[in-house]
Amino acid sequence: MPSQRDQGSMLFKRRLITGQNGNTHPLIWLLAFICIILAIAVIVTGITVFVGFLIIHPRVPTISIAHAHLDLFRNDYAGLLQTQITILVVAQNGNAMANATFSDIRFNISYQSHDIAILVANRFEVPKNSSKYLNYVVQASSIPFNPDQMGNVGYSWKRNIVAFDLKGNARAQWKVGPIGSFKFRCHVECTIKFHPLNGSYIPSKSCTSKSK
């Protein structure tokens, strides 16, 4: 048989639920009302976000290589390489109802595993349906190459194609009214190719950021 203590606990729970007059306790009605209000708030918020996406058609901001030029690509018999590259980076915001902010921009440029330069930029804002261009001039001199690497340089001249590696990230963020703030990491990893005989850039779609 249940002890006197257990009986008292059961009686208290019964009273909490039904009350002394046998009806449902007001506290239970209050908790049920609060749960209904919270459920309605969640549904309304979900509908608001969904309708907002349908109206706004949000697009992830991107950062990419718009253009480039190989200004200098020269090597000597001592195994030293000199190069200069002009790079035009574009940050694009295709959203029609929100400005986008780009920050933590950092891209590394290398050639045959030799780091040449790091492209950085301060935080900036791109208006809705607009873009911002960043111009960089990258210079490197007296890069020491071993015989195999110098052989690759010679082969690049022979086929008139030289490739530099670009890898890095940027952070993008935009905010639209009640929908809230959206943050993305724009990752770029591609090969920048040139014709060394005239320095012209070979465009590549792979040099556009992918969001993460």
Side-chain angles (χ1 to χ4, degrees), residues 80-96:
L80 299 177
L81 179 72
Q82 290 181 295
T83 186
Q84 177 176 304
I85 309 171
T86 298
I87 299 177
L88 188 63
V89 176
V90 59
Q92 294 180 311
N93 175 24
N95 293 290

Side-chain angles (χ1 to χ4, degrees), residues 69-75 80-86 109-111 114-117 137-143 145 162 164 194:
H69 188 270
L70 183 61
D71 305 322
L72 176 66
F73 188 72
R74 182 170 57 200
N75 60 288
L80 299 177
L81 179 72
Q82 290 181 295
T83 186
Q84 177 176 304
I85 309 171
T86 298
I109 297 179
S110 62
Y111 178 68
H114 287 269
D115 291 335
I116 294 178
V137 178
V138 175
Q139 294 179 327
S141 61
S142 302
I143 303 175
F145 277 3
V162 59
F164 295 81
F194 300 93

Side-chain angles (χ1 to χ4, degrees), residues 1-27:
M1 294 181 63
S3 65
Q4 185 176 1
R5 183 176 180 180
D6 293 337
Q7 290 178 350
S9 177
M10 292 172 62
L11 180 61
F12 173 76
K13 292 179 180 178
R14 191 179 298 114
R15 287 180 178 177
L16 179 62
I17 296 174
T18 61
Q20 293 182 353
N21 59 0
N23 296 325
T24 303
H25 197 286
L27 181 59

Side-chain angles (χ1 to χ4, degrees), residues 92-137:
Q92 294 180 311
N93 175 24
N95 293 290
M97 301 183 66
N99 297 343
T101 301
F102 289 83
S103 61
D104 298 335
I105 296 176
R106 186 180 179 89
F107 297 104
N108 182 70
I109 297 179
S110 62
Y111 178 68
Q112 294 198 55
S113 300
H114 287 269
D115 291 335
I116 294 178
I118 297 178
L119 310 182
V120 297
N122 294 326
R123 180 187 180 96
F124 61 86
E125 189 173 89
V126 179
K128 51 191 175 184
N129 271 341
S130 186
S131 58
K132 180 179 177 64
Y133 289 88
L134 306 173
N135 189 58
Y136 297 92
V137 178

Side-chain angles (χ1 to χ4, degrees), residues 4 7 30 50 65 77 101 135 165:
Q4 185 176 1
Q7 290 178 350
L30 178 61
F50 179 72
I65 303 298
Y77 291 104
T101 301
N135 189 58
D165 296 317

